[in-house]
Amino acid sequence: MLTELNTNYAYKLKYMGNPAFDKVRDLSSKFYRELPQALQDELHEALNRGIDILDSEPQMTAYLFSFGKMHQAKLKYAFNHLPEEFLSQPEISIVDYGCGQALGTMCYADFLRSRGYVQEMKTVTLIEPSECCLKRAALHTSVFFPNAEIRIIHKTFDELCKGDICCDEYTPTLHILSNVLDMLNFDLEHFSNLVKQSLEGYNQFVCVGPCFFDFERDRRMDVLFERVGGNECFSETLDQYKLDPNKAWTCKVKVFTQGNLLKQFLSTKWTEEDFHEKIVDEFGSLCSVDGKRLLKFNSCARVGIINIRTEIICDEAFYDCYLLQEIVIPNSVTSIGDSAFSKCRSLQQIIIPNSVTSIGDDAFNECESLQQIIIPNSVKSIGNGAFNECESLQQIIIPNSITSIGDFAFRCCRSLRQIIIPNSVTSIGDRAFCLCRSLQRIIIPNSVKSIGNGAFSKCESLQQIIIPNSVTSIGDDAFDGCESLQQIIIPNSVKSIGNGAFSYCDLLRQVIIPDSVTSIGDRAFFFCRSLQQVVIPDSVTSIGDEAFAQQCFIPASITGGGFTFFAGSLPQIVIPKGSKEKFKTMLDKELWDKLVEQ
């Protein structure tokens, strides 16, 4: 594939955490600003208001510096008018026309993240006549959508043929045309006809560009819409300072759809009407009229058999089927609803097929006889409380497809001894592994950025844990009551230690607080009876109440408040030389007498 490799820019982008368009533009701007001023001026002039084809890295950096914000503002405004039925699709493809450095694709990724939408990218087709821009576009796309298949089309619009524009009958396609339709250097009629001939399935178009208040140029966006056909979702023309009160940008936007309606979304939620219109299948289960949704299972059965037409196991479908011991889920099922198997107390075995993409909240809550479960790679999310109180569960394999572990997901799995969290996971929810009393070892990968409140609270057998450099915050009570934990290394990435984060860790002997930490919460190390001494770095400016119950070296950076962060009787308080007078107003006489300058 044509892509940018082995350049300083590529290496910097590869290790960019949480990629975003603003970060990419800042990186390009840094390269641009390091050039001599005379060369900056020359490059800006050579851009010809962004019309000419770019053919060098300095020109690319100059373009992003000069016009990146304008593209971003127009695209964000247009994306905000996309229909909900498109945004709710779990998987789509993108065709980015005249993509340049893939500005449209990056901005769409930002938009999805900002609005909380989750969409998988099947393919991203990048069409661009500039080879250097195309290489960088492929690089940017691979970082923003690492799982997508990237198609490279190194052509002008007039050179395109039908096979270049890739659409799929079963996958919705987003067509992005950012600041290209206003250009007069290609045959719009030929291009429009080619696009129309290439379309299959459902297509969502987003067109943005400047408004020249010139009939020929301003009409080109409307001509494409008329030639392609479809339904208009949104259209607007904005004069100077309307898009941004500080910028004289004009903007023309057109958002429209073409093709068949999207496949109806099948919900795991049921209504009274569903049960009124229900049918009974050959296994005695209640199903929706079309047979695609299993509403309620026959609660008297010991072995569960599901009809192969079933696509959705609805919420509480097997709730409290206390006799159920075994269940076979067919490959037709894509979603397991909330509390679907909750309180199936006799259920010992279940096989989840590769067709399933989501496991709902409390899906296997209180399945106290369940000993083992394999989650397939197709599953993208594990809901809150999904395996809560599965007391017999000894082993679970979390696949690389999972990006987040929900709140209470494995709470009270008392028999669980070891778990490996894959590199795909970025967050561990509140109390996710709380009260896993047999858990001895856990490896947290570098992908994890946050550890939720009480995530490993009361894991009494946990002896060792390594927190990776990616973690920036340790939640309240994260390791509270881990009474077997002897050592913890807090990486330099951590900025805050939550309330009660390591309280009642009776055997904890050593803790190193790095210079990155600025705050230590209430009772953070309360009742850590084996901890002899803690050195607090100068970066710390606040320490919560009763944070420590042992000897501490207090830095001069602490500002205000009495020393309420000490609990119990302390033999001495170590402070920096020459700082005793500073602390005089903060202490009562008993603590003042214990100050030792060192």
Side-chain angles (χ1 to χ4, degrees):
M1 182 180 71
L2 191 68
T3 189
E4 181 174 343
L5 298 169
N6 302 324
T7 63
N8 288 338
Y9 184 90
Y11 284 123
K12 287 180 179 293
L13 195 72
K14 180 180 179 181
Y15 294 103
M16 177 184 288
N18 297 321
F21 178 79
D22 285 335
K23 289 184 178 181
V24 170
R25 182 177 177 273
D26 288 345
L27 181 59
S28 286
S29 298
K30 182 177 183 297
F31 278 86
Y32 178 68
R33 290 192 184 98
E34 289 174 352
L35 299 173
Q37 185 61 50
L39 181 54
Q40 290 184 32
D41 296 340
E42 180 183 331
L43 286 169
H44 182 77
E45 184 68 25
L47 292 178
N48 190 20
R49 302 186 308 281
I51 296 174
D52 291 349
I53 295 176
L54 309 180
D55 58 11
S56 68
E57 182 174 31
Q59 284 186 342
M60 289 192 293
T61 60
Y63 187 91
L64 262 181
F65 176 79
S66 301
F67 302 109
K69 284 291 186 182
M70 178 189 66
H71 276 275
Q72 183 186 38
K74 293 178 180 179
L75 286 163
K76 182 179 179 180
Y77 186 74
F79 291 147
N80 277 321
H81 293 90
L82 284 169
E84 188 66 29
E85 62 179 354
F86 175 77
L87 294 171
S88 65
Q89 295 305 298
E91 183 179 58
I92 70 165
S93 291
I94 290 177
V95 181
D96 198 342
Y97 297 84
C99 65
Q101 301 169 65
L103 275 64
T105 298
M106 290 190 288
C107 287
Y108 186 66
D110 279 3
F111 170 76
L112 290 176
R113 190 183 305 110
S114 67
R115 292 281 296 272
Y117 291 105
V118 177
Q119 281 184 334
E120 290 293 317
M121 291 301 132
K122 183 176 181 180
T123 63
V124 178
T125 301
L126 303 170
I127 301 173
E128 170 61 38
S130 166
E131 182 175 337
C132 66
C133 280
L134 201 51
K135 287 182 177 180
R136 185 151 292 184
L139 172 65
H140 287 158
T141 301
S142 68
V143 172
F144 279 75
F145 294 115
N147 297 322
E149 175 192 349
I150 302 174
R151 298 179 69 248
I152 301 300
I153 309 297
H154 184 202
K155 294 180 180 180
T156 65
F157 284 3
D158 287 333
E159 294 171 335
L160 292 174
C161 58
K162 185 177 179 181
D164 294 330
I165 300 173
C166 181
C167 298
D168 186 329
E169 181 181 356
Y170 302 104
T171 305
T173 302
L174 173 63
H175 302 259
I176 302 175
L177 298 101
S178 177
N179 278 38
V180 292
L181 288 173
D182 57 286
M183 295 184 180
L184 303 177
N185 59 356
F186 67 94
D187 184 341
L188 180 60
E189 184 173 352
H190 165 76
F191 174 72
S192 300
N193 290 334
L194 177 65
V195 171
K196 183 176 182 179
Q197 294 167 14
S198 303
L199 299 182
E200 292 185 44
Y202 184 90
N203 297 274
Q204 179 69 61
F205 285 81
V206 172
C207 308
V208 299
C211 180
F212 294 93
F213 300 100
D214 171 84
F215 181 78
E216 182 180 5
R217 284 197 173 186
D218 292 341
R219 269 281 297 162
R220 288 172 71 85
M221 197 176 289
D222 300 317
V223 169
L224 175 70
F225 170 60
E226 292 165 5
R227 294 284 200 280
V228 170
N231 300 306
E232 185 177 287
C233 304
F234 179 77
S235 182
E236 189 170 4
T237 299
L238 300 175
D239 204 347
Q240 292 181 347
Y241 303 107
K242 295 294 185 181
L243 183 66
D244 186 323
N246 299 312
K247 300 291 184 180
W249 298 329
T250 60
C251 180
K252 185 174 175 64
V253 176
K254 188 172 287 290
V255 179
F256 64 95
T257 64
Q258 193 277 349
N260 299 324
L261 292 175
L262 301 178
K263 180 181 177 181
Q264 182 184 6
F265 174 72
L266 297 177
S267 175
T268 63
K269 311 296 179 189
W270 48 262
T271 64
E272 291 184 6
E273 185 178 353
D274 288 326
F275 278 94
H276 180 71
E277 298 178 350
K278 68 183 181 300
I279 62 172
V280 180
D281 69 9
E282 59 268 42
F283 306 112
S285 297
L286 306 183
C287 302
S288 58
V289 175
D290 58 9
K292 294 181 178 181
R293 299 165 67 228
L294 175 60
L295 303 174
K296 190 65 180 175
F297 184 72
N298 177 6
S299 61
C300 296
R302 294 181 181 273
V303 178
I305 303 177
I306 299 175
N307 194 297
I308 58 173
R309 293 174 305 182
T310 303
E311 296 182 17
I312 303 294
I313 298 176
C314 287
D315 298 350
E316 301 182 355
F318 292 81
Y319 183 85
D320 203 20
C321 290
Y322 59 91
L323 295 176
L324 186 68
Q325 296 180 6
E326 184 179 346
I327 182 79
V328 178
I329 300 177
N331 281 318
S332 56
V333 172
T334 59
S335 296
I336 298 174
D338 295 348
S339 301
F341 297 91
S342 182
K343 297 192 176 182
C344 292
R345 301 185 189 278
S346 302
L347 184 62
Q348 299 176 18
Q349 183 179 1
I350 189 167
I351 298 174
I352 300 176
N354 283 319
S355 56
V356 173
T357 59
S358 64
I359 299 175
D361 294 348
D362 301 311
F364 298 92
N365 173 54
E366 294 186 48
C367 291
E368 57 189 36
S369 300
L370 190 63
Q371 296 181 19
Q372 183 178 0
I373 191 163
I374 297 175
I375 302 174
N377 277 315
S378 55
V379 174
K380 306 290 192 300
S381 62
I382 299 176
N384 297 334
F387 299 94
N388 179 50
E389 293 193 47
C390 290
E391 297 181 355
S392 302
L393 189 63
Q394 298 178 17
Q395 182 181 5
I396 189 161
I397 298 174
I398 300 177
N400 284 319
S401 55
I402 299 295
T403 58
S404 63
I405 298 174
D407 298 345
F408 301 90
F410 298 95
R411 176 187 171 274
C412 248
C413 291
R414 292 185 173 90
S415 301
L416 192 63
R417 295 182 178 275
Q418 182 176 350
I419 192 162
I420 297 175
I421 300 174
N423 284 319
S424 55
V425 173
T426 58
S427 63
I428 299 173
D430 293 349
R431 310 206 176 277
F433 297 93
C434 173
L435 289 166
C436 291
R437 300 189 186 279
S438 300
L439 189 63
Q440 297 178 5
R441 185 168 179 263
I442 191 162
I443 298 174
I444 300 177
N446 281 318
S447 55
V448 173
K449 297 176 175 58
S450 61
I451 298 174
N453 297 335
F456 300 95
S457 177
K458 306 297 189 298
C459 290
E460 298 172 354
S461 302
L462 188 63
Q463 298 176 14
Q464 182 183 8
I465 191 162
I466 298 174
I467 301 175
N469 282 319
S470 54
V471 173
T472 58
S473 63
I474 299 174
D476 295 348
D477 304 312
F479 299 93
D480 165 60
C482 292
E483 56 189 39
S484 299
L485 191 64
Q486 298 183 28
Q487 183 179 1
I488 188 83
I489 298 175
I490 301 173
N492 280 317
S493 55
V494 173
K495 298 178 181 177
S496 62
I497 299 173
N499 299 332
F502 299 95
S503 61
Y504 293 98
C505 291
D506 290 353
L507 299 182
L508 188 62
R509 296 180 179 180
Q510 182 181 7
V511 64
I512 298 173
I513 300 176
D515 290 336
S516 57
V517 173
T518 58
S519 65
I520 299 172
D522 296 346
R523 302 166 65 88
F525 295 91
F526 181 78
F527 224 79
C528 293
R529 291 181 293 187
S530 300
L531 194 60
Q532 299 299 312
Q533 183 175 9
V534 178
V535 177
I536 302 173
D538 289 334
S539 57
V540 174
T541 58
S542 67
I543 302 176
D545 293 346
E546 298 184 313
F548 300 98
Q550 59 281 322
Q551 178 181 334
C552 292
F553 183 94
I554 305 300
S557 57
I558 299 300
T559 58
F563 277 17
T564 57
F565 40 79
F566 291 115
S569 177
L570 291 170
Q572 62 179 10
I573 305 171
V574 183
I575 59 174
K577 284 185 178 181
S579 63
K580 191 169 183 177
E581 286 300 316
K582 171 188 171 178
F583 295 110
K584 187 172 185 179
T585 58
M586 303 182 189
L587 304 174
D588 57 25
K589 187 177 186 306
E590 181 182 356
L591 285 176
W592 171 262
D593 292 338
K594 293 181 180 180
L595 288 183
V596 176
E597 291 187 340
Q598 181 174 304

